[in-house]
Amino acid sequence: MNGRISGLYAITPDLADTQKLIQQVRLALEGGTRWLQYRNKSAEQSLKLQQATALMRLCREFAVPLIINDSLDVALEIDADGVHLGAQDCLIPHAKNKLGAEKIIGISCYDNLQCALEAETEGADYVALGSFYASTVKPHAVRAPLKLLREAKERLRVPVVAVGGIDLHNAGLLVGAGADAVAVISALFNAEDIKETAKNFAALFADYHHGIA
């Protein structure tokens, strides 16, 4: 396991082409992605298992944890490092019981700090807050103010992952406000140079941690 959630948290794009997916994710990992979440809302279960299995092998190569979006079944089948839950998914204690205490449970709390506080009490290992910016993946997501991130960092002990419309132009504000990690899809996987873009995201955390930014 790669320790506390921090840095660039890459979320995979919806791709039916497994080979292309693996090629893109490899570049992201080479660039410094610290955590990977497999998310494919359009795939059938068989394709999800195929892709998740391939990603698990790749993540093991880079010693990067793989988190599965929404699906306990897939996470159990491939022995993933954890699962990320949404508001309509199963309860955190149930996920812990099914996967095992050593696995990572994350949950989306959107703009709801009370949800995050309750999730921490129930055993979540990290919470995701946002959308902080307009998102092409979830264009109708509720926008969260930057002050929510600051307040969450003051009141929570678990890591906070910032989500929603994050790119290299705005990620620094979130890191400066206390985000332990930034979750990125489009700005990373639609980039002309995925590896270099991942390096630039990773550098934001190095700069803040050394007091440069």
Side-chain angles (χ1 to χ4, degrees):
M1 193 60 59
N2 207 17
R4 182 181 173 92
I5 284 189
S6 63
L8 176 57
Y9 184 127
I11 301 177
T12 61
D14 283 18
L15 288 176
D17 186 335
T18 302
Q19 183 176 359
K20 182 178 180 180
L21 176 65
I22 296 301
Q23 289 172 345
Q24 290 189 352
V25 170
R26 177 176 287 279
L27 290 170
L29 293 171
E30 289 175 349
T33 292
R34 294 284 304 277
W35 294 76
L36 183 73
Q37 181 186 132
Y38 172 58
R39 178 185 184 276
N40 193 332
K41 296 295 188 180
S42 61
E44 297 291 334
Q45 187 75 355
S46 59
L47 180 58
K48 285 183 180 180
L49 282 171
Q50 178 195 92
Q51 293 184 337
T53 299
L55 288 171
M56 194 75 237
R57 288 196 294 267
L58 183 60
C59 284
R60 287 288 179 263
E61 180 181 334
F62 285 86
V64 167
L66 177 65
I67 308 296
I68 304 298
N69 180 269
D70 288 349
S71 178
L72 272 176
D73 290 342
V74 173
L76 283 166
E77 180 73 21
I78 70 164
D79 193 25
D81 297 299
V83 68
H84 184 88
L85 305 173
Q88 306 303 319
D89 296 320
C90 69
L91 298 177
I92 292 168
H94 175 70
K96 280 281 189 185
N97 184 57
K98 293 285 286 185
L99 292 176
E102 77 282 2
K103 301 295 186 178
I104 295 166
I105 308 296
I107 186 166
S108 292
C109 290
Y110 313 103
D111 65 334
N112 190 332
L113 180 57
Q114 186 59 37
C115 166
L117 292 167
E118 291 173 0
E120 180 181 66
T121 299
E122 292 173 0
D125 297 289
Y126 74 88
V127 298
L129 294 175
S131 180
F132 285 101
Y133 303 103
S135 170
T136 56
V137 176
K138 292 187 176 182
H140 304 297
V142 175
R143 295 286 290 278
L146 201 58
K147 66 180 182 180
L148 173 66
L149 182 56
R150 297 191 181 99
E151 187 175 358
K153 284 302 298 176
E154 290 176 356
R155 299 184 62 184
L156 293 167
R157 296 180 303 277
V158 296
V160 177
V161 180
V163 305
I166 299 171
D167 58 30
L168 285 170
H169 299 291
N170 58 40
L173 289 173
L174 299 171
V175 177
D180 295 285
V182 291
V184 183
I185 305 177
S186 301
L188 178 61
F189 291 106
N190 290 345
E192 185 173 332
D193 189 331
I194 294 173
K195 183 175 178 178
E196 186 64 24
T197 300
K199 285 182 178 180
N200 289 334
F201 273 110
L204 289 173
F205 288 89
D207 288 347
Y208 274 95
H209 290 162
H210 288 90
I212 296 173

